[in-house]
Amino acid sequence: MNGLVWARRRRTAARFWSQFRQNKAGVFGLVVLALFVLTALLAPVITPDNALSVTRPPGSPLDGPSADFPLGTDRSGRSMVDMIIWGSRVSLTVGFWATFISIAFGTLFGILAGHFGGWGSSLLMRVTDWFLVMPSLVLGVALAAVLGRSLTTIIVAIGVTSWPTTARLVRAQTLAVEARPYIERARALGGGHLHVMTNHVLPNVMPIVLAQTTLMVGSAILTESTFAFLGLGDPTTASWGATIQAARDVGAVSSRMWWYILPPGIAIVLVVLAFTLVGRAIEGVLNPKLRERR
Amino acid sequence: MSLLEVDDLTVTYRTAGGDVPAVRGVSFALEAGQKLGLAGESGCGKSTMALALLRLLPRTARYTGEIRFDGEDILTMSWGRLRAVRWAGASIVFQGAMHSLNAVQRIGAQIAEPIRLHSKATEAEIRRRTGELLEHVGLPARRADAYPHELSGGQRQRVMIAMALACDPKLIVADEPTTALDVMIQAQILTLIESLVAEQGISLLMISHDLSVLADTCDRLAVMYAGRIVEEGPAAAVFGDARHPYGRALAAAFPRIGDPASRRRPQGLAGDPPDPADLPSGCTFHPRCPARLDHCDKLDPRLWPAGDDARAACVHVLPDKGLSLVAKESA
Amino acid sequence: MADSALPTAPVPQLAQSVRDRSGVRRRLRYYGEKLGGSLVSLFAVILTSFFLFRIIPGDPVRTMTHGRPVTIEQQEQLRREFGLDKPLAEQFWSYLTGVLRLDFGDSFQFNRPVTDLIGERLWPTVLLVGTSVVISAALGLWLGVRGAWNHGSLSDRVNTGVALTLWSVPSFWLGLILIVIFASGAGWFPTSGMESTGVEGWERIPDVAHHMVLPLVTLVAVVYAQYLMIMRSSLLDEMGSDYIVTARAKGLRDIIVRRRHAVPNALLPTVTLIFVNLGFVVFGAVLVETIFSWPGLGQLFYSGLSVPDLPLVQGLFILFSAAVILMNLLADLLYPVLDPRVRP
């Protein structure tokens, strides 16, 4: 790729950022996300070594907020603050990996179906339709039940059931891109299928995939918390959903231990909302029709 | 008193990037029963003009000047009065009738809607009137039950015309009424508009990028460029002997009907119309002008008498080519 | 289509009937295709459920009894019951015919036919989910219309913000919070079950309604945002259209332009979404029903999951999927009624 192309891409990126910046909600979402990512990365540094230990917990079980434990302790005597910090790792990991699977499959199949057309494409779209029709949560829950309880299962379940949405979007975008004259030119100049798909279609499909990605991470995190709450996650990971489930199990609801129930839920809402806001902001920049008008 | 008098009208859109002037001081008059053609490239402000006449622009638009219709100023009248003038006083035939008709309503209902609103007719009378209107524009009355997508482009445009006639208006504004149609249909629609307008003594303001179409239909022509009228006069004079280089280019182009390329750029004229947010200094046409003089980027000429009953905004029609004006300004 | 300015001659009777017949054929074809597509999807779901629960884990009996004290004899017994000693094709055939006869086998934990259990639990779910969909659709559409019409205003921004935030809330967590607020404190609303014991006759209606308040609020809160956002953006799209300018040019009041022209057009995509969502919401009720001990299908599914009670989970899996397929089909059939452009 030559310097001219890179210069153009850089300009595009700069323009993108200057438009994104005008969306206050999107910037807010980005800041929240940055904070959560930082927290997740620094979790081992900012929490004590025995933060997650059930056998040597730092405090006594089910204590209310105190100076030592600003949000109290859970049923094993672990600090709720540390639980939330470690939970962000689980949520973000699941969110990113599930989305990665979903986007990778969705983009691959979407571009293939859009590029080649014919009966293979119809078959592929038929399969997508079928996945779309199946309630993904049901399929996910069934998969998780069958494959056993672990983080990987949840990631696979979410990824496998959410790729069809991406595939449809990418296929539509691929068809739109391939209708442009320069694709014709690339073909006339002897560009093969692979060349056209990777050098021309992919760069034009990526922006829409980016918006889709951010929106999807949010819903993947929401789904993860649901799975964890349904008891399908790895019982030993401190996911936010699992923490809420644990709180319910020990009767935090009836004894009104708000510090046990509120924080993990608020954390989920914040992260999901942040992803949603960023995704909408990106969408707004890419699709001026969605931008506020008149 | 003229039926329609537009006096120094400006329309400015307020956007996040600052104010964008779309119409910059337009004045003209239209007598009862007269047909005026307004020509110009896309983006010169002519469609904004059409919508401004009934204050139909989005909320971001700001108006100054006066639009006197039948003696009343449209820009200052109350909302209630304005709604009464809309359609009953002046109606509009929009371009692209596919999108200008509501896709999920039967066309009969859409034609009947303004009649019901502006008259006290009974339902039976309204139904009869709708049928009459359809037959008037050459469609069988039973087509009232059709949906827009069941009609051809030409038929839809006929529906638009029937709709425009529904309340016996004094003025019809036709905004590119034939743009989306092919040549044969275009001619049919133009003939239809011409005959109906003549028959009922309605004034017509027809807007098009196609000077030849306007010259055929209208009594007078006005040419717009960058939000201003740069040439105005009797149709034959403007079309045959334009004094402004832009008017000349438009007339010489004889744009082929239905060819989108000629719509954007008249033949033989380089460059694009200027961005309204970033207009050139002096005469806004000077960067593209084949007859530009050295001082054209300094002097912004206003309309000036140019021949019999015609006016043009060009240094070439000014006494001593406007040099004295430039000298006076710089002094 | 030819554009004719000539007065049209009356259409001959013959031509008319020929056109009608081809129209009928086209319509039949459209409905046939939609119906066929749904049947294919349904078959795919049945196929999936068969393979998902029998093939992937290797030994379904071990999966079923995973973590439960079961003797070898009991496992053998289960294998025979499931016909696992027979060839795969034969197994599938008996499974398929069973499903078609609505026979999903017996539940492990209840020792009763899954079909009976589903029959008992169906109506509470339909009541809860149906009511929630009606309310959230009405609320979402109303707020969406208002938002689009005054878009950019303070109330629009607040409404959109609230909706997006509520959309990000996990429904189970919101339910728990509501219980914390209402359980021991005010006691305004019951937090568990569908009816109080000892209430008979007509008294049951207000009693059930009273029990339904909290689950309903939870479901509506997390669902209505979608309708709001779709309606809002769809109406914003319509408001920029040319026919809206036409309607305003006719001298109609803004409120009439909105009600008569913009909203009916903007409703088209939204209605489809509501129908498609309806199928999913049934499953979405799993969490809410579990939290509030609402005796519906969702709670049944949860109890099936925690055992795990595979015949039960399998039956509900098919039922939930079938609900989505059915709603998609209904949306496909309803759309031409609403939009003359896609009328076959």
Side-chain angles (χ1 to χ4, degrees):
Chain A
M1 213 151 290
N2 55 37
L4 208 70
V5 173
W6 277 115
R8 204 181 61 216
R9 299 246 157 101
R10 243 197 326 275
R11 268 204 310 279
T12 313
R15 202 169 51 229
F16 183 92
W17 172 238
S18 82
Q19 279 176 6
F20 184 94
R21 248 183 0 202
Q22 286 172 12
N23 187 325
K24 281 183 210 126
V27 173
F28 167 78
L30 207 59
V31 170
V32 172
L33 281 189
L35 286 179
F36 268 104
V37 170
L38 209 64
T39 313
L41 289 176
L42 295 179
V45 185
I46 55 182
T47 59
D49 287 342
N50 63 342
L52 292 183
S53 165
V54 187
T55 45
R56 286 187 304 114
S60 53
L62 300 174
D63 272 349
S66 61
D68 284 344
F69 305 109
L71 289 176
T73 58
D74 76 344
R75 62 171 163 189
S76 312
R78 297 175 289 188
S79 163
M80 279 304 291
V81 174
D82 294 349
M83 293 296 283
I84 299 298
I85 291 175
W86 280 93
S88 66
R89 292 197 131 195
V90 182
S91 284
L92 291 175
T93 310
V94 172
F96 282 125
W97 277 110
T99 306
F100 176 78
I101 294 179
S102 152
I103 294 291
F105 276 85
T107 310
L108 180 69
F109 289 130
I111 289 186
L112 285 178
H115 180 81
F116 286 107
W119 65 267
S121 159
S122 337
L123 186 75
L124 214 53
M125 282 298 109
R126 200 68 243 169
V127 173
T128 331
D129 272 350
W130 163 45
F131 267 96
L132 274 180
V133 142
M134 243 183 306
S136 47
L137 261 173
V138 185
L139 192 62
V141 163
L143 258 183
V146 164
L147 295 180
R149 306 178 170 192
S150 77
L151 216 53
T152 321
T153 304
I154 289 190
I155 291 173
V156 170
I158 299 176
V160 161
T161 53
S162 58
W163 68 268
T165 325
T166 318
R168 305 216 94 189
L169 201 70
V170 169
R171 176 172 167 269
Q173 186 73 6
T174 305
L175 288 176
V177 170
E178 296 224 346
R180 292 180 198 161
Y182 66 87
I183 299 286
E184 191 110 354
R185 200 188 56 199
R187 282 219 184 95
L189 290 174
H193 287 302
L194 194 66
H195 172 83
V196 169
M197 280 191 282
T198 53
N199 286 22
H200 297 286
V201 176
L202 195 62
N204 285 295
V205 170
M206 273 336 270
I208 199 119
V209 169
L210 183 67
Q212 171 77 2
T213 312
T214 5
L215 288 173
M216 195 167 274
V217 179
S219 60
I221 289 176
L222 209 52
T223 312
E224 186 276 332
S225 73
T226 308
F227 281 12
F229 181 76
L230 287 174
L232 297 166
D234 179 358
T236 58
T237 48
S239 130
W240 292 330
T243 307
I244 299 176
Q245 159 72 356
R248 182 167 177 257
D249 275 355
V250 297
V253 176
S254 47
S255 46
R256 308 183 116 197
M257 289 181 250
W258 59 267
W259 69 89
Y260 204 167
I261 302 172
L262 270 184
I266 291 175
I268 295 173
V269 174
L270 269 180
V271 171
V272 175
L273 184 64
F275 274 111
T276 310
L277 291 178
V278 172
R280 280 170 52 90
I282 296 176
E283 228 172 32
V285 173
L286 297 177
N287 185 356
K289 249 186 104 185
L290 292 175
R291 233 176 289 159
E292 303 294 310
R293 303 155 293 189
R294 299 196 183 174
Chain B
M1 185 181 66
S2 307
L3 176 68
L4 176 69
E5 279 177 275
V6 176
D7 193 12
D8 200 23
L9 175 72
T10 73
V11 178
T12 309
Y13 290 107
R14 301 210 163 156
T15 68
D19 287 1
V20 178
V23 174
R24 308 179 300 131
V26 164
S27 305
F28 65 87
L30 180 58
E31 309 300 327
Q34 201 188 31
K35 292 173 285 182
L36 173 67
L38 195 60
E41 288 165 283
S42 302
C44 71
K46 56 192 198 307
S47 285
T48 299
M49 272 282 316
L51 293 178
L53 292 182
L54 285 176
R55 246 161 80 189
L56 286 168
L57 291 167
R59 278 179 241 158
T60 52
R62 291 286 175 277
Y63 311 82
T64 67
E66 264 182 52
I67 302 173
R68 276 188 303 281
F69 181 77
D70 234 0
E72 287 177 276
D73 186 5
I74 297 266
L75 295 183
T76 53
M77 68 173 51
S78 70
W79 279 108
R81 180 69 197 132
L82 178 65
R83 278 199 302 271
V85 170
R86 283 178 178 175
W87 223 258
S91 59
I92 307 185
V93 175
F94 288 104
Q95 63 173 317
M98 181 69 224
H99 302 293
S100 299
L101 292 170
N102 187 338
V104 301
Q105 263 185 19
R106 297 178 197 276
I107 57 167
Q110 299 189 51
I111 297 175
E113 190 172 39
I115 307 177
R116 192 171 298 126
L117 185 71
H118 293 290
S119 76
K120 294 190 179 70
T122 63
E123 282 307 304
E125 285 166 356
I126 292 174
R127 205 168 316 125
R128 196 164 37 80
R129 173 93 176 118
T130 307
E132 275 170 20
L133 283 164
L134 281 172
E135 272 166 4
H136 222 78
V137 297
L139 289 171
R142 59 181 166 76
R143 292 305 264 164
D145 286 337
Y147 287 99
H149 74 278
E150 294 168 341
L151 303 176
S152 70
Q155 287 172 328
R156 281 196 291 265
Q157 203 60 350
R158 285 167 192 273
V159 171
M160 277 307 289
I161 295 168
M163 205 154 87
L165 294 169
C167 301
D168 294 319
K170 291 180 180 155
L171 168 69
I172 289 182
V173 179
D175 185 3
E176 305 260 8
T178 59
T179 300
L181 306 173
D182 57 61
V183 188
M184 292 306 294
I185 314 290
Q186 217 167 28
Q188 286 178 12
I189 296 289
L190 286 174
T191 317
L192 178 69
I193 293 180
E194 239 184 310
S195 67
L196 290 174
V197 166
E199 198 178 293
Q200 306 183 16
I202 301 172
S203 303
L204 176 70
L205 176 64
M206 185 142 111
I207 295 172
S208 176
H209 60 277
D210 189 335
L211 201 61
S212 59
V213 161
L214 295 178
D216 277 352
T217 316
C218 300
D219 310 320
R220 290 182 74 81
L221 291 184
V223 176
M224 269 187 93
Y225 189 79
R228 266 195 201 155
I229 291 179
V230 295
E231 174 134 31
E232 194 254 339
V238 173
F239 190 62
D241 179 29
R243 306 301 287 274
H244 193 284
Y246 180 65
R248 245 186 339 261
L250 266 190
F254 276 103
R256 244 186 48 237
I257 298 173
D259 177 3
S262 61
R263 177 179 182 184
R264 261 174 260 121
R265 180 182 304 165
Q267 210 178 353
L269 190 56
D272 292 313
D275 176 3
D278 183 25
L279 292 170
S281 64
C283 170
T284 49
F285 185 59
H286 83 262
R288 300 169 76 191
C289 186
R292 63 175 286 194
L293 300 175
D294 284 343
H295 60 284
C296 277
D297 58 349
K298 293 187 197 70
L299 186 68
D300 186 9
R302 288 309 184 104
L303 281 173
W304 194 263
D308 200 15
D309 196 21
R311 297 178 297 164
C314 177
V315 289
H316 289 284
V317 304
L318 293 179
D320 75 352
K321 308 227 178 276
L323 280 169
S324 56
L325 276 170
V326 178
K328 198 161 39 172
E329 260 177 36
S330 51
Chain C
M1 218 183 291
D3 184 74
S4 159
L6 302 168
T8 43
V11 182
Q13 210 53 48
L14 182 72
Q16 186 76 45
S17 76
V18 165
R19 215 176 52 197
D20 278 357
R21 210 180 306 150
S22 80
V24 168
R25 204 176 301 146
R26 210 168 49 235
R27 233 162 286 152
L28 280 179
R29 210 188 125 136
Y30 174 84
Y31 293 123
E33 267 172 21
K34 294 296 173 198
L35 199 64
S38 301
L39 288 177
V40 169
S41 294
L42 194 61
F43 182 75
V45 164
I46 295 173
L47 199 68
T48 314
S49 67
F50 177 78
F51 280 97
L52 198 61
F53 294 103
R54 280 163 203 252
I55 304 307
I56 293 180
D59 183 355
V61 170
R62 196 167 310 145
T63 316
M64 277 184 254
T65 54
H66 181 72
R68 293 162 74 223
V70 192
T71 62
I72 302 289
E73 288 78 48
Q74 277 173 315
Q75 288 195 8
E76 284 308 313
Q77 162 76 21
L78 274 173
R79 279 206 180 85
R80 270 197 305 282
E81 248 173 51
F82 277 85
L84 290 176
D85 41 347
K86 301 199 181 96
L88 198 63
E90 202 174 312
Q91 280 183 46
F92 181 66
W93 180 248
S94 68
Y95 173 74
L96 183 65
T97 50
V99 168
L100 290 183
R101 279 183 282 117
L102 295 181
D103 175 8
F104 300 102
D106 286 358
S107 150
F108 291 167
Q109 38 171 348
F110 299 99
N111 274 322
R112 293 177 52 203
V114 169
T115 317
D116 290 0
L117 288 166
I118 290 179
E120 281 166 21
R121 304 294 195 99
L122 186 62
W123 295 112
T125 295
V126 168
L127 178 69
L128 178 63
V129 167
T131 318
S132 84
V133 166
V134 170
I135 294 179
S136 47
L139 184 70
L141 296 189
W142 180 61
L143 289 175
V145 168
R146 277 191 32 173
W149 210 254
N150 310 311
H151 87 107
S153 69
L154 184 69
S155 74
D156 172 37
R157 273 178 291 166
V158 169
N159 264 326
T160 310
V162 169
L164 283 178
T165 310
L166 282 176
W167 184 82
S168 311
V169 172
S171 57
F172 56 91
W173 180 69
L174 183 62
L176 291 180
I177 299 291
L178 287 179
I179 293 178
V180 169
I181 296 172
F182 288 100
S184 42
W188 290 335
F189 300 107
T191 53
S192 155
M194 189 168 86
E195 43 196 332
S196 324
T197 45
V199 181
E200 297 287 333
W202 292 106
E203 298 284 298
R204 285 180 63 196
I205 295 177
D207 183 48
V208 169
H210 196 205
H211 278 82
M212 201 160 69
V213 171
L214 291 186
L216 206 54
V217 166
T218 313
L219 269 178
V220 168
V222 295
V223 166
Y224 88 95
Q226 281 192 52
Y227 303 136
L228 187 159
M229 297 317 293
I230 294 276
M231 188 64 199
R232 184 176 174 279
S233 71
S234 160
L235 189 56
L236 272 177
D237 258 4
E238 296 299 333
M239 277 163 55
S241 314
D242 295 340
Y243 71 86
I244 295 297
V245 182
T246 310
R248 286 171 57 220
K250 283 178 179 175
L252 296 171
R253 286 169 183 278
D254 274 4
I255 188 159
I256 306 272
V257 173
R258 170 168 73 182
R259 198 183 303 151
R260 206 181 285 165
H261 292 279
V263 171
N265 276 281
L267 266 178
L268 299 175
T270 321
V271 167
T272 319
L273 178 88
I274 291 176
F275 264 85
V276 171
N277 253 348
L278 205 62
F280 288 102
V281 174
V282 174
F283 180 72
V286 169
L287 295 155
V288 174
E289 286 185 3
T290 305
I291 298 286
F292 291 101
S293 311
W294 187 264
L297 295 173
Q299 199 204 25
L300 192 64
F301 188 73
Y302 181 76
S303 72
L305 269 187
S306 37
V307 172
D309 185 345
L310 283 195
L312 186 60
V313 172
Q314 206 170 31
L316 287 169
F317 174 80
I318 293 177
L319 182 75
F320 290 144
S321 306
V324 179
I325 294 170
L326 181 70
M327 289 305 153
N328 270 315
L329 180 65
L330 279 184
D332 279 344
L333 299 186
L334 184 71
Y335 203 78
V337 177
L338 294 174
D339 190 346
R341 279 166 298 186
V342 297
R343 228 164 263 177

